[in-house]
Amino acid sequence: MGLMLATFSLVAHAQNIPQLGQATIAEVVKAMTLEEKVHLLIGTGMDGIINDQPVIGETKNIVPGAAGTTYAIPRLGIPAVVLADGPAGVRISPKRENDTATYYCTHFPIATSLASTWNTELVQSVGQAIGNEALEYGVDILLAPALNIQRYPLCGRNFEYYSEDPVVSGNMATAYVKGVQNNGVGVSVKHFAANNQESNRTGNDARVSQRALREIYLKGFETVIKNAAPWTVMTSYNLLNGIYTSENGELLTDLLRQEWGFKGLVMSDWFGGKNAVRQMQAGNDMLQPGTEKQYNDIISAVKKGELDEKIIDRNVSNVLGMIVRTPHFKKYAYSNHPDLKSHADIARQAGQEGMVLLENRNNTLPLSQTSVHKIALLGSASYSLTPGGSGSGDVHSAYMVSLAEGLKNAGYEIDAETEQLYGKHIEELDEKYQDSLKQIKKLMFMSQPAPSEITMSQEILNRLSNETDIAILTVGRKSGEGKDCIPSDFNLSVDERQLIENTCRTFHAANKKVLVLLNVGNVIETASWKDLPDAILLAWECGQEMGNSIVDVLSGKVSPSGKLTMTFPVKLEDIPSTTNFPMGEHQIDNPTDDSSGFGKNWDYTDYEEDIYVGYRYFDTFKKDVSYPFGYGLSYTTFTYSSPRIVDNGRNYNVSINVTNIGDKAGKEIVQLYVSSPLNPAYEKPQRELKAFSKTRMLQPGETEAISMIIPHEALASFNQDISAWQTDKGIYSFLFGSSSRDIRLTKELRIGKQNTVPVGNILRPKTQISVFSK
Ligand code: BGC
């Protein structure tokens, strides 16, 4: 009888009160009180916040260590859903109170390393694996990918981003999002938009021309929105042309929703923006992690008639639209046991493919073809590899394969005395760091500094050059969220340079070779020392399998097939944005409102280089670089033949044959650049990447015909005088390159008629920016 009563009252309850999933979203919204609506529009808050300052999320309930949750309203059948970082893997706490189980996630390579694979299938499989871990750990929305443009090598978060080029960024993000969302969990594409520096990141105004926005900073977002339908977008911390991005209706409504057709939810970055009412109006549906002030401000604005409740309803509908798609809403019984073993294999393969071989004189590599067995492993970073960047892009993995382990796993021997010496040094540094942590109360955005070098005496180097077969020396850097790098992070230190010089001199005198490994998340200086060692392998920061991935390439188990997705300049000052980037003058860990007032590059940053970002500048202005965009060596050699362009009325279908003419198996990345006809009304870069493709593993002698699709509109430039995408008539050169500076074949295409597509004249700078021109 009791049970019957209970069932009856449940049914009655469900009949009277609309339940999400059974009733329409509009009906559910109608049944909500204003208070419920506003609760749903802001997150459930965050532990350990002082004065609403940004911190990296800790949500105690549901999934400990996740960045945020939404507010549950059980009477309407609305569950809480869980949001967790990030680009290199799911970031949640690996351990829980009163629980002996562990919740480790796979640490995949950083986004820069993933992009360097130029392999969208592989990136999709990484996304697929990360999405599966999200699903199986009870996470509904993964706060990734991050696809801001790597505008300058010193941005502290470049490691989370893909490239200086929007075609690379947009395609990588598309592949990643498809992979994650295949699991039935969502992503949050971030940080929308023009978030290119960490200094004063919550107060900096990025002042950018409409053209640079359209062609460079927004283009990748447009690609991913149109091709992968991400469930959510995360606005950035910065202002864009005078308005916080999260308060900017032109960005969030006119462009994102109306022009690009985005149908999902927009959320703020954690504590991003200043005015909750304006955020609501602009179309920033949900504020994370949510503060009491935001709640009160919105309620009181509605009550005073300053904020139309229709806007609240619109935003609530978007939140509910997201919630109904989630595993929590669908009551998915997550296992807490994703297949970490098979994901580690994917991480290892992605790490291998993202490595870029910068130098390889006299076939120093692969080691398998030489008699190398015993190795002198030098440089502190060799003994403390960095798997990724710090901040919200960090991942708590169960282990990381060190370089020594990777080498030993593959049967190499490491000089034991050197290993001990460095081991002790690293241990001491770790202890000192742990001690220093005890003194500091605020741990936000802290990361352990890169280990200092130890001086290797000539005596030790002499012994090593006699007793070992090769020297492997690692140069390492650390970077992370909340702080930009400074010029000394770009340049080698005196100690590093000396170690490279002394090792090369001593080993070369003994007729032995030296290999330098770069374990970095950002571009570093190479021009002044790259001729010293025999080989340089850029390993990036490639996650928990790093030691194995590196050795797979060194040994020759696989041929390196990564290429640079950004330019390596000769000097920092060669980059035109150098005068418009903070160079570390005012490094403040957690800027607050009172830390404004430093002016240029702090309160605002003028993007004077305009569209001339990366190779668009270096190639147009014919400046020397250390390594060009798109560059990377292989253990084998490829030739290109038979370029073809077929116009099918909507797209240009472009194809080319690639043949492996070397004696080892390998993969090649073909880049298609286009040089457009000039138009006196506006400048154009010398060439721009429009598409790329990577071959499968080609055996010696094998040929593959690869094809790329270029939609007609992709040839257009943005003419900001008339606010239109314009495809000028004339001759377009399609350049098939192995890098931006190694064009192998060219094919021409004539376009007989100019095509102009007007778009909204939005996001205009409020001040005059003196943009760079030819
Ligand atoms: C970062 C975001 C991240 C969020 C949640 C912020 O500090 O900028 O990228 O998703 O924290 O952890």
Side-chain angles (χ1 to χ4, degrees):
M1 185 66 178
L3 184 68
M4 267 179 69
L5 264 180
T7 317
F8 180 75
S9 78
L10 265 180
V11 172
H13 182 76
Q15 274 170 353
N16 297 334
I17 307 169
Q19 298 291 297
L20 187 65
Q22 290 159 22
T24 63
I25 286 181
E27 284 162 350
V28 176
V29 175
K30 204 159 166 235
M32 291 170 90
T33 65
L34 175 63
E35 287 69 20
E36 283 172 334
K37 290 177 190 171
V38 179
H39 269 307
L40 202 58
L41 293 177
I42 65 170
T44 53
M46 190 182 262
D47 286 336
I49 309 156
I50 315 140
N51 301 331
D52 291 356
Q53 282 189 29
V55 289
I56 296 170
E58 269 285 337
T59 309
K60 282 257 160 67
N61 304 323
I62 318 180
V63 180
T69 40
T70 64
Y71 191 81
I73 309 177
R75 81 176 186 96
L76 298 167
I78 304 173
V81 306
V82 177
L83 324 169
D85 290 302
V90 180
R91 186 175 66 87
I92 55 173
S93 301
K95 300 207 169 135
R96 296 179 185 173
E97 275 170 34
N98 308 320
D99 184 350
T100 51
T102 55
Y103 301 82
Y104 289 111
C105 296
T106 307
H107 197 321
F108 288 89
I110 57 170
T112 312
S113 159
L114 292 179
S116 306
T117 68
W118 298 67
N119 183 341
T120 48
E121 250 173 62
L122 182 61
V123 172
Q124 182 161 337
S125 69
V126 169
Q128 183 80 37
I130 296 178
N132 174 262
E133 290 185 22
L135 177 72
E136 293 305 335
Y137 279 132
V139 170
D140 299 282
I141 304 287
L142 181 84
L143 305 172
L147 66 144
N148 295 94
I149 291 291
Q150 294 173 341
R151 172 176 176 254
Y152 198 69
L154 298 185
C155 171
R157 279 186 106 168
N158 275 351
F159 74 94
E160 289 186 71
Y161 304 149
Y162 295 115
S163 174
E164 68 186 21
D165 179 88
V167 170
V168 176
S169 304
N171 281 290
M172 288 301 151
T174 299
Y176 183 101
V177 170
K178 283 183 178 166
V180 175
Q181 293 194 163
N182 272 342
N183 293 281
V185 297
V187 297
S188 199
V189 163
K190 65 191 190 184
H191 307 93
F192 191 54
N195 191 179
N196 308 103
Q197 67 178 62
E198 288 299 282
S199 305
N200 193 26
R201 65 178 183 161
T202 54
N204 177 261
D205 180 18
R207 299 175 178 178
V208 200
S209 77
Q210 289 168 293
R211 180 174 184 197
L213 280 175
R214 292 276 187 175
E215 290 189 6
I216 310 285
Y217 296 100
L218 297 172
K219 193 77 203 164
F221 285 101
E222 181 179 358
T223 304
V224 66
I225 299 295
K226 290 182 173 171
N227 296 309
W231 291 13
T232 84
V233 166
M234 186 192 293
T235 47
S236 55
Y237 281 132
N238 53 290
L239 299 91
L240 173 57
N241 289 334
I243 304 174
Y244 275 106
T245 55
S246 59
E247 299 174 9
N248 194 329
E250 288 188 346
L251 183 70
L252 304 184
T253 300
D254 301 356
L255 182 75
L256 179 65
R257 292 191 187 276
Q258 286 165 10
E259 196 183 309
W260 295 350
F262 178 67
K263 299 268 185 291
L265 163 101
V266 176
M267 71 175 83
S268 69
D269 196 347
W270 268 228
F271 302 99
K274 287 275 178 291
N275 185 318
V277 174
R278 281 209 291 267
Q279 288 174 313
M280 288 299 116
Q281 287 161 333
N284 192 117
D285 307 301
M286 184 168 77
L287 306 178
Q288 281 291 343
T291 64
E292 210 175 314
K293 179 173 186 317
Q294 290 169 331
Y295 176 82
N296 293 335
D297 287 354
I298 296 173
I299 297 261
S300 100
V302 175
K303 287 192 173 154
K304 282 193 219 146
E306 290 162 7
L307 176 61
D308 191 340
E309 196 163 344
K310 283 206 192 88
I311 286 180
I312 299 296
D313 291 352
R314 173 196 72 182
N315 298 358
V316 169
S317 305
N318 289 333
V319 178
L320 292 177
M322 181 264 292
I323 291 176
V324 291
R325 305 170 82 175
T326 59
H328 263 110
F329 179 74
K330 294 180 179 163
K331 301 200 167 48
Y332 178 74
Y334 48 96
S335 65
N336 279 326
H337 291 292
D339 183 357
L340 297 180
K341 175 82 191 58
S342 72
H343 295 173
D345 294 341
I346 299 173
R348 180 170 178 167
Q349 196 203 337
Q352 292 163 1
E353 275 211 29
M355 267 172 226
V356 186
L357 183 62
L358 297 175
E359 298 289 345
N360 193 21
R361 277 180 274 278
N362 304 318
N363 295 329
T364 301
L365 295 175
L367 299 179
S368 57
Q369 62 184 14
T370 63
S371 52
V372 166
H373 172 66
K374 188 167 177 189
I375 293 170
L377 193 56
L378 299 170
S380 297
S382 282
Y383 296 89
S384 68
L385 289 181
T386 301
S390 58
S392 65
D394 198 4
V395 182
H396 305 295
S397 59
Y399 64 86
M400 192 206 55
V401 179
S402 71
L403 187 51
E405 280 172 278
L407 286 165
K408 288 174 193 167
N409 289 345
Y412 296 100
E413 190 193 338
I414 295 170
D415 178 73
E417 265 179 56
T418 333
E419 193 178 9
Q420 268 170 18
L421 195 68
Y422 277 104
K424 197 160 159 275
H425 175 59
I426 300 292
E427 219 171 85
E428 281 168 10
L429 291 177
D430 285 350
E431 273 168 23
K432 257 198 213 154
Y433 178 67
Q434 290 308 328
D435 280 350
S436 73
L437 284 188
K438 289 179 198 144
Q439 319 297 319
I440 304 168
K441 289 194 186 67
K442 218 168 36 171
L443 290 184
M444 300 164 212
F445 304 140
M446 277 278 299
S447 84
Q448 189 170 357
S452 54
E453 281 307 336
I454 42 180
T455 319
M456 282 283 129
S457 67
Q458 190 57 47
E459 204 189 328
I460 300 182
L461 288 176
N462 286 343
R463 180 184 68 75
L464 289 172
S465 69
N466 282 328
E467 293 178 7
T468 64
D469 305 315
I470 193 170
I472 298 182
L473 189 163
T474 307
V475 171
R477 291 287 179 274
K478 286 185 193 284
S479 55
E481 180 177 348
K483 205 174 206 169
D484 287 317
C485 304
I486 52 177
S488 58
D489 294 312
F490 176 79
N491 295 313
L492 290 196
S493 68
V494 173
D495 290 348
E496 286 168 335
R497 183 174 300 270
Q498 239 164 37
L499 183 63
I500 295 178
E501 282 171 4
N502 295 347
T503 307
C504 289
R505 198 187 52 247
T506 314
F507 272 70
H508 289 163
N511 227 355
K512 307 260 171 82
K513 289 181 170 166
V514 178
L515 158 76
V516 172
L517 279 176
L518 299 178
N519 173 211
V520 296
N522 285 58
V523 170
I524 67 164
E525 189 274 323
T526 47
S528 73
W529 58 271
K530 66 181 183 183
D531 292 337
L532 297 175
D534 304 275
I536 304 176
L537 182 68
L538 169 58
W540 294 118
E541 295 169 344
C542 59
Q544 67 182 49
E545 285 288 327
M546 185 148 188
N548 285 333
S549 300
I550 291 175
V551 179
D552 289 340
V553 171
L554 296 186
S555 67
K557 189 173 162 199
V558 291
S559 201
S561 65
K563 292 193 180 185
L564 298 177
T565 59
M566 76 299 287
T567 309
F568 271 51
V570 174
K571 303 191 298 293
L572 268 185
E573 307 82 71
D574 293 346
I575 307 172
S577 43
T578 299
T579 49
N580 289 297
F581 189 85
M583 303 301 273
E585 309 93 311
H586 316 295
Q587 289 235 348
I588 297 175
D589 277 353
N590 289 291
T592 61
D593 283 349
D594 351 318
S595 60
S596 62
F598 292 123
K600 185 174 158 73
N601 299 338
W602 182 264
D603 299 324
Y604 63 89
T605 301
D606 288 338
Y607 287 38
E608 291 180 349
E609 75 285 359
D610 204 39
I611 54 165
Y612 294 116
V613 177
Y615 70 90
R616 283 173 169 76
Y617 167 74
F618 287 101
D619 290 355
T620 309
F621 291 81
K622 305 202 171 18
K623 297 279 182 204
D624 282 348
V625 297
S626 187
Y627 298 109
F629 176 83
Y631 170 86
L633 301 172
S634 164
Y635 294 155
T636 188
T637 314
F638 301 95
T639 54
Y640 299 4
S641 59
S642 311
R644 307 171 287 280
I645 307 175
V646 176
D647 180 359
N648 74 3
R650 289 187 58 192
N651 303 313
Y652 300 107
N653 291 339
V654 181
S655 45
I656 192 158
N657 295 349
V658 180
T659 306
N660 180 353
I661 57 161
D663 58 5
K664 295 190 179 56
K667 297 181 182 180
E668 169 68 331
I669 297 153
V670 180
Q671 300 146 44
L672 184 82
Y673 299 89
V674 173
S675 279
S676 313
L678 296 180
N679 178 331
Y682 55 101
E683 294 186 6
K684 291 188 185 173
Q686 170 74 23
R687 61 180 73 109
E688 293 179 280
L689 186 78
K690 295 293 176 190
F692 59 88
S693 184
K694 189 168 192 172
T695 66
R696 59 170 192 272
M697 183 67 79
L698 292 180
Q699 297 303 320
E702 220 185 326
T703 298
E704 182 181 348
I706 56 165
S707 40
M708 296 167 266
I709 293 174
I710 303 179
H712 280 187
E713 61 271 17
L715 295 189
S717 302
F718 191 72
N719 183 346
Q720 71 187 9
D721 292 341
I722 55 168
S723 194
W725 287 103
Q726 196 162 303
T727 311
D728 292 306
K729 63 179 181 191
I731 304 283
Y732 287 75
S733 300
F734 282 50
L735 314 167
F736 297 83
S738 181
S739 82
S740 86
R741 296 247 167 137
D742 181 7
I743 303 300
R744 301 284 179 83
L745 288 169
T746 303
K747 190 106 186 127
E748 290 189 340
L749 172 90
R750 171 183 290 281
I751 294 187
K753 202 168 140 257
Q754 177 174 291
N755 186 33
T756 305
V757 181
V759 290
N761 185 2
I762 51 173
L763 302 170
R764 264 191 309 264
K766 305 243 171 341
T767 45
Q768 182 83 21
I769 311 163
S770 56
V771 297
F772 202 83
S773 73
K774 281 195 234 176

mmCIF file of all heavy atoms in Angstrom, residues 177-205:
data_model
loop_
_atom_site.group_PDB
_atom_site.id
_atom_site.type_symbol
_atom_site.label_atom_id
_atom_site.label_comp_id
_atom_site.label_asym_id
_atom_site.label_seq_id
_atom_site.Cartn_x
_atom_site.Cartn_y
_atom_site.Cartn_z
ATOM 1 N N VAL A 177 37.670 17.809 -31.370
ATOM 2 C CA VAL A 177 36.280 17.913 -30.894
ATOM 3 C C VAL A 177 35.467 16.713 -31.377
ATOM 4 O O VAL A 177 34.700 16.110 -30.611
ATOM 5 C CB VAL A 177 35.638 19.240 -31.377
ATOM 6 C CG1 VAL A 177 34.142 19.261 -31.099
ATOM 7 C CG2 VAL A 177 36.319 20.425 -30.710
ATOM 8 N N LYS A 178 35.656 16.333 -32.637
ATOM 9 C CA LYS A 178 34.901 15.178 -33.144
ATOM 10 C C LYS A 178 35.223 13.948 -32.302
ATOM 11 O O LYS A 178 34.334 13.178 -31.941
ATOM 12 C CB LYS A 178 35.266 14.904 -34.607
ATOM 13 C CG LYS A 178 34.616 15.880 -35.568
ATOM 14 C CD LYS A 178 34.956 15.508 -37.007
ATOM 15 C CE LYS A 178 34.278 16.457 -37.982
ATOM 16 N NZ LYS A 178 34.828 16.328 -39.327
ATOM 17 N N GLY A 179 36.502 13.770 -31.992
ATOM 18 C CA GLY A 179 36.910 12.606 -31.195
ATOM 19 C C GLY A 179 36.264 12.610 -29.822
ATOM 20 O O GLY A 179 35.676 11.619 -29.385
ATOM 21 N N VAL A 180 36.341 13.736 -29.132
ATOM 22 C CA VAL A 180 35.777 13.813 -27.765
ATOM 23 C C VAL A 180 34.269 13.585 -27.822
ATOM 24 O O VAL A 180 33.714 12.758 -27.094
ATOM 25 C CB VAL A 180 36.075 15.184 -27.118
ATOM 26 C CG1 VAL A 180 35.377 15.298 -25.764
ATOM 27 C CG2 VAL A 180 37.575 15.408 -26.948
ATOM 28 N N GLN A 181 33.596 14.331 -28.706
ATOM 29 C CA GLN A 181 32.128 14.325 -28.704
ATOM 30 C C GLN A 181 31.532 13.014 -29.218
ATOM 31 O O GLN A 181 30.364 12.718 -28.932
ATOM 32 C CB GLN A 181 31.596 15.546 -29.457
ATOM 33 C CG GLN A 181 31.918 16.838 -28.712
ATOM 34 C CD GLN A 181 31.165 18.076 -29.177
ATOM 35 O OE1 GLN A 181 31.114 19.067 -28.467
ATOM 36 N NE2 GLN A 181 30.582 18.049 -30.354
ATOM 37 N N ASN A 182 32.318 12.217 -29.949
ATOM 38 C CA ASN A 182 31.851 10.878 -30.340
ATOM 39 C C ASN A 182 31.434 10.045 -29.148
ATOM 40 O O ASN A 182 30.701 9.078 -29.270
ATOM 41 C CB ASN A 182 32.996 10.104 -31.012
ATOM 42 C CG ASN A 182 33.032 10.372 -32.494
ATOM 43 O OD1 ASN A 182 32.050 10.836 -33.045
ATOM 44 N ND2 ASN A 182 34.155 10.077 -33.130
ATOM 45 N N ASN A 183 31.956 10.390 -27.977
ATOM 46 C CA ASN A 183 31.654 9.638 -26.758
ATOM 47 C C ASN A 183 30.332 10.049 -26.112
ATOM 48 O O ASN A 183 29.962 9.509 -25.072
ATOM 49 C CB ASN A 183 32.755 9.857 -25.719
ATOM 50 C CG ASN A 183 34.080 9.246 -26.129
ATOM 51 O OD1 ASN A 183 34.267 8.058 -25.991
ATOM 52 N ND2 ASN A 183 34.982 10.061 -26.654
ATOM 53 N N GLY A 184 29.698 11.063 -26.671
ATOM 54 C CA GLY A 184 28.476 11.543 -26.018
ATOM 55 C C GLY A 184 28.763 12.478 -24.865
ATOM 56 O O GLY A 184 27.895 12.715 -24.017
ATOM 57 N N VAL A 185 29.976 13.020 -24.809
ATOM 58 C CA VAL A 185 30.273 14.106 -23.870
ATOM 59 C C VAL A 185 30.570 15.344 -24.716
ATOM 60 O O VAL A 185 30.860 15.217 -25.902
ATOM 61 C CB VAL A 185 31.474 13.802 -22.933
ATOM 62 C CG1 VAL A 185 31.180 12.618 -22.041
ATOM 63 C CG2 VAL A 185 32.747 13.568 -23.729
ATOM 64 N N GLY A 186 30.493 16.518 -24.104
ATOM 65 C CA GLY A 186 30.695 17.744 -24.863
ATOM 66 C C GLY A 186 32.084 18.329 -24.646
ATOM 67 O O GLY A 186 32.843 17.882 -23.785
ATOM 68 N N VAL A 187 32.392 19.356 -25.432
ATOM 69 C CA VAL A 187 33.646 20.099 -25.248
ATOM 70 C C VAL A 187 33.296 21.556 -24.962
ATOM 71 O O VAL A 187 32.153 21.971 -25.143
ATOM 72 C CB VAL A 187 34.524 20.089 -26.514
ATOM 73 C CG1 VAL A 187 34.970 18.690 -26.872
ATOM 74 C CG2 VAL A 187 33.810 20.764 -27.675
ATOM 75 N N SER A 188 34.294 22.313 -24.555
ATOM 76 C CA SER A 188 34.165 23.761 -24.528
ATOM 77 C C SER A 188 35.362 24.339 -25.269
ATOM 78 O O SER A 188 36.491 24.283 -24.795
ATOM 79 C CB SER A 188 34.118 24.285 -23.083
ATOM 80 O OG SER A 188 33.581 25.574 -23.092
ATOM 81 N N VAL A 189 35.075 24.812 -26.462
ATOM 82 C CA VAL A 189 36.129 25.371 -27.302
ATOM 83 C C VAL A 189 36.532 26.718 -26.701
ATOM 84 O O VAL A 189 35.675 27.567 -26.463
ATOM 85 C CB VAL A 189 35.557 25.518 -28.727
ATOM 86 C CG1 VAL A 189 36.400 26.436 -29.550
ATOM 87 C CG2 VAL A 189 35.421 24.156 -29.392
ATOM 88 N N LYS A 190 37.816 26.908 -26.443
ATOM 89 C CA LYS A 190 38.228 28.105 -25.686
ATOM 90 C C LYS A 190 39.504 28.690 -26.265
ATOM 91 O O LYS A 190 40.186 27.999 -27.026
ATOM 92 C CB LYS A 190 38.421 27.735 -24.216
ATOM 93 C CG LYS A 190 39.572 26.739 -23.931
ATOM 94 C CD LYS A 190 39.526 26.231 -22.504
ATOM 95 C CE LYS A 190 40.773 25.447 -22.151
ATOM 96 N NZ LYS A 190 40.742 24.860 -20.823
ATOM 97 N N HIS A 191 39.931 29.871 -25.959
ATOM 98 C CA HIS A 191 39.295 30.915 -25.175
ATOM 99 C C HIS A 191 38.892 31.959 -26.192
ATOM 100 O O HIS A 191 39.773 32.578 -26.813
ATOM 101 C CB HIS A 191 40.272 31.507 -24.157
ATOM 102 C CG HIS A 191 40.928 30.440 -23.300
ATOM 103 N ND1 HIS A 191 42.148 29.856 -23.596
ATOM 104 C CD2 HIS A 191 40.514 29.850 -22.146
ATOM 105 C CE1 HIS A 191 42.454 28.963 -22.656
ATOM 106 N NE2 HIS A 191 41.497 28.940 -21.770
ATOM 107 N N PHE A 192 37.622 32.152 -26.356
ATOM 108 C CA PHE A 192 37.042 32.935 -27.433
ATOM 109 C C PHE A 192 36.973 34.403 -27.024
ATOM 110 O O PHE A 192 36.141 34.742 -26.191
ATOM 111 C CB PHE A 192 35.644 32.371 -27.720
ATOM 112 C CG PHE A 192 34.988 32.881 -28.966
ATOM 113 C CD1 PHE A 192 35.617 32.797 -30.204
ATOM 114 C CD2 PHE A 192 33.714 33.444 -28.910
ATOM 115 C CE1 PHE A 192 34.993 33.254 -31.351
ATOM 116 C CE2 PHE A 192 33.085 33.901 -30.064
ATOM 117 C CZ PHE A 192 33.735 33.799 -31.280
ATOM 118 N N ALA A 193 37.802 35.264 -27.516
ATOM 119 C CA ALA A 193 38.814 35.154 -28.543
ATOM 120 C C ALA A 193 39.942 36.153 -28.259
ATOM 121 O O ALA A 193 39.802 37.003 -27.397
ATOM 122 C CB ALA A 193 38.188 35.466 -29.884
ATOM 123 N N ALA A 194 41.003 36.018 -29.071
ATOM 124 C CA ALA A 194 42.170 36.916 -28.980
ATOM 125 C C ALA A 194 42.791 36.916 -27.588
ATOM 126 O O ALA A 194 43.159 37.950 -27.050
ATOM 127 C CB ALA A 194 41.814 38.340 -29.421
ATOM 128 N N ASN A 195 42.930 35.745 -27.018
ATOM 129 C CA ASN A 195 43.557 35.578 -25.705
ATOM 130 C C ASN A 195 45.003 35.124 -25.961
ATOM 131 O O ASN A 195 45.276 33.950 -26.037
ATOM 132 C CB ASN A 195 42.776 34.495 -24.948
ATOM 133 C CG ASN A 195 43.144 34.387 -23.485
ATOM 134 O OD1 ASN A 195 42.579 33.581 -22.776
ATOM 135 N ND2 ASN A 195 44.093 35.177 -23.021
ATOM 136 N N ASN A 196 45.893 36.082 -26.148
ATOM 137 C CA ASN A 196 47.223 35.722 -26.612
ATOM 138 C C ASN A 196 48.343 36.084 -25.660
ATOM 139 O O ASN A 196 49.512 36.069 -26.026
ATOM 140 C CB ASN A 196 47.492 36.367 -27.991
ATOM 141 C CG ASN A 196 46.386 36.063 -28.965
ATOM 142 O OD1 ASN A 196 45.538 36.910 -29.242
ATOM 143 N ND2 ASN A 196 46.344 34.843 -29.455
ATOM 144 N N GLN A 197 47.984 36.491 -24.452
ATOM 145 C CA GLN A 197 49.025 36.746 -23.451
ATOM 146 C C GLN A 197 48.439 36.433 -22.089
ATOM 147 O O GLN A 197 47.223 36.479 -21.890
ATOM 148 C CB GLN A 197 49.510 38.199 -23.523
ATOM 149 C CG GLN A 197 48.478 39.250 -23.103
ATOM 150 C CD GLN A 197 49.043 40.661 -23.155
ATOM 151 O OE1 GLN A 197 49.424 41.137 -24.215
ATOM 152 N NE2 GLN A 197 49.117 41.326 -22.005
ATOM 153 N N GLU A 198 49.301 36.120 -21.137
ATOM 154 C CA GLU A 198 48.861 35.813 -19.784
ATOM 155 C C GLU A 198 49.013 37.005 -18.848
ATOM 156 O O GLU A 198 48.318 37.091 -17.838
ATOM 157 C CB GLU A 198 49.636 34.607 -19.236
ATOM 158 C CG GLU A 198 49.226 33.295 -19.886
ATOM 159 C CD GLU A 198 47.753 32.983 -19.657
ATOM 160 O OE1 GLU A 198 47.398 32.539 -18.553
ATOM 161 O OE2 GLU A 198 46.951 33.214 -20.580
ATOM 162 N N SER A 199 49.926 37.919 -19.183
ATOM 163 C CA SER A 199 50.136 39.081 -18.326
ATOM 164 C C SER A 199 48.862 39.904 -18.273
ATOM 165 O O SER A 199 48.303 40.245 -19.324
ATOM 166 C CB SER A 199 51.265 39.953 -18.887
ATOM 167 O OG SER A 199 52.417 39.172 -19.058
ATOM 168 N N ASN A 200 48.410 40.192 -17.057
ATOM 169 C CA ASN A 200 47.154 40.928 -16.846
ATOM 170 C C ASN A 200 46.016 40.358 -17.686
ATOM 171 O O ASN A 200 45.248 41.078 -18.316
ATOM 172 C CB ASN A 200 47.336 42.421 -17.172
ATOM 173 C CG ASN A 200 46.153 43.240 -16.670
ATOM 174 O OD1 ASN A 200 45.469 42.855 -15.723
ATOM 175 N ND2 ASN A 200 45.909 44.366 -17.305
ATOM 176 N N ARG A 201 45.924 39.050 -17.657
ATOM 177 C CA ARG A 201 44.996 38.408 -18.597
ATOM 178 C C ARG A 201 43.534 38.731 -18.325
ATOM 179 O O ARG A 201 42.715 38.630 -19.224
ATOM 180 C CB ARG A 201 45.197 36.895 -18.600
ATOM 181 C CG ARG A 201 44.864 36.216 -17.290
ATOM 182 C CD ARG A 201 45.058 34.730 -17.435
ATOM 183 N NE ARG A 201 44.694 34.013 -16.243
ATOM 184 C CZ ARG A 201 44.433 32.728 -16.215
ATOM 185 N NH1 ARG A 201 44.504 32.024 -17.332
ATOM 186 N NH2 ARG A 201 44.131 32.126 -15.103
ATOM 187 N N THR A 202 43.214 39.111 -17.098
ATOM 188 C CA THR A 202 41.807 39.427 -16.836
ATOM 189 C C THR A 202 41.510 40.911 -17.001
ATOM 190 O O THR A 202 40.392 41.352 -16.753
ATOM 191 C CB THR A 202 41.383 38.982 -15.422
ATOM 192 O OG1 THR A 202 42.289 39.572 -14.491
ATOM 193 C CG2 THR A 202 41.414 37.480 -15.278
ATOM 194 N N GLY A 203 42.531 41.685 -17.403
ATOM 195 C CA GLY A 203 42.288 43.114 -17.551
ATOM 196 C C GLY A 203 42.832 43.672 -18.857
ATOM 197 O O GLY A 203 42.685 44.852 -19.135
ATOM 198 N N ASN A 204 43.464 42.820 -19.647
ATOM 199 C CA ASN A 204 44.119 43.308 -20.858
ATOM 200 C C ASN A 204 43.124 43.460 -22.018
ATOM 201 O O ASN A 204 42.295 42.586 -22.246
ATOM 202 C CB ASN A 204 45.227 42.319 -21.263
ATOM 203 C CG ASN A 204 45.915 42.719 -22.551
ATOM 204 O OD1 ASN A 204 45.603 42.206 -23.618
ATOM 205 N ND2 ASN A 204 46.833 43.670 -22.460
ATOM 206 N N ASP A 205 43.253 44.586 -22.710
ATOM 207 C CA ASP A 205 42.400 44.827 -23.882
ATOM 208 C C ASP A 205 43.209 44.525 -25.146
ATOM 209 O O ASP A 205 44.181 45.221 -25.441
ATOM 210 C CB ASP A 205 41.949 46.301 -23.874
ATOM 211 C CG ASP A 205 41.054 46.645 -25.062
ATOM 212 O OD1 ASP A 205 40.512 45.708 -25.692
ATOM 213 O OD2 ASP A 205 40.896 47.849 -25.344
#
